[in-house]
Amino acid sequence: MDANTKKDIRSLSKDEIIEFFVNNGDKAFRGKQVYEWLWSKGIHNFDLMTNLSKDTRIFLDKHFVINHIKVDDMQRSIDGTIKNAIRLFDDKIVESVLIPTEKRTTACVSSQVGCALNCAFCATARIKNMRNLNADEIYDQVVAAHQQSNLFYGHPLSNIVFMGMGEPLMNYNEVKKAIGMITSDEGLQMSPRRIVLSTSGLPKKIKQMADEGVKFGLAVSLHSAIDEKRSKMMPINIKNSLTDLAESLEYWYSKTKSRVTYEYVVWKDFNDKQEDIDALIKYAKIIPCKINIIEYNEIEEDGFQQAEPKVIDSYQKQLEDAGIVVNVRRSRGKDIDAACGQLANKKQ
Ligand code: SAH
């Protein structure tokens, strides 16, 4: 086998690695040892697995490669935000962001190279060359962020959001595996309550997550509660209407009892009218929720503009008066193109 046909051992589950050893006449615990080297210890070279015999190490090397990411470039914003350009084994690049606040450090990770959704306002939509990330590539971004958090901010990573490049629910299996590793004892032992998956809203997948009883949080990029408008900004809405989305969210809430977060940008001449606020209030009453009004980060030549501050104030006041929890969020890391929707591998 040459390097191109060898399988990535990190794509195997613990049971599969154990099975490989047993099928090759070795003991099950050898598989466990290798799994520990790969995940708990984060070793990327068979030669460093010192409790294996030389022969076993050579045997593994003959059958497998150990793919892993490499932080190619790291930029730091004046506000402390860090953006990483991450090189994958096939030389494709994704970006991840680390955002420090007083109380926590949040890693914003990518789930796909590029994105197929084509949201009108998002820079990632402009990257072609799409592929899904593997679970280990997602997990590695979190490990890198965790190390950077310790190194640069002096405390461990506290939160993870799937709000980087890509649509996590279009790569759900790998995202799920990665979350499994992030939360497991052999991985980073982080609580799923500190993880939020952000989606453009795929009703079938939302129901699947509800059925699986996932413990992480759910955020939905809403941006408009009026079908016609939402479809213009987010083509995914054409086949997945707000009614279907609402139905899946009701199902989500009935199963998980976990409120959803809606992400919402207010644009000038798009959703800055009273009818938009009224529609949002109505939609927000379907299940318990929290609304994050996020700042719009301009993308070159897209022609969109953030609404006037007084419109955003009016949104906030009316939502609060209606008893809905709302936060107005300022962007971080704008000077290095690290803010929401700005991840586009500009430097490459
Ligand atoms: N595909 C997922 C996650 C990636 S986008 C999703 O749609 O939720 C992460 C968040 O950034 C989403 O809420 C998205 O709508 C928002 N976003 C994208 N481009 C933006 C921009 N230019 N300014 C502000 N937010 C943006």
Side-chain angles (χ1 to χ4, degrees), residues 306-326:
Q306 162 124 324
E308 303 283 331
K310 66 170 194 284
V311 178
I312 293 171
D313 290 347
S314 174
Y315 258 96
Q316 184 172 15
K317 180 162 188 323
Q318 292 189 52
L319 285 163
E320 278 169 357
D321 288 349
I324 297 155
V325 182
V326 53

Side-chain angles (χ1 to χ4, degrees), residues 115 117 121-123 162-164 166-168 198-200 221 223 234 263 265 294-299 340-342:
C115 187
L117 291 176
F121 49 85
C122 180
F162 281 84
M163 293 187 188
E167 168 51 52
S198 173
T199 176
S200 58
S221 303
H223 303 314
M234 304 177 67
E263 295 152 278
V265 173
I294 54 181
E295 195 181 331
Y296 175 56
N297 303 304
E298 275 181 46
I299 309 303
C340 285
Q342 291 189 311

Side-chain angles (χ1 to χ4, degrees), residues 1 16 48 62 73 129 131 142 148 169 179 202 206 211 216 218 220 224 248 261 273 317 319-320 336:
M1 274 190 229
E16 287 167 334
L48 300 177
K62 234 167 81 182
D73 185 44
N129 219 356
R131 82 161 165 85
V142 177
Q148 287 175 331
L169 293 190
I179 293 177
L202 300 171
I206 292 174
D211 282 332
F216 52 80
L218 177 65
V220 173
S224 175
S248 71
T261 300
K273 306 284 177 305
K317 180 162 188 323
L319 285 163
E320 278 169 357
I336 53 166

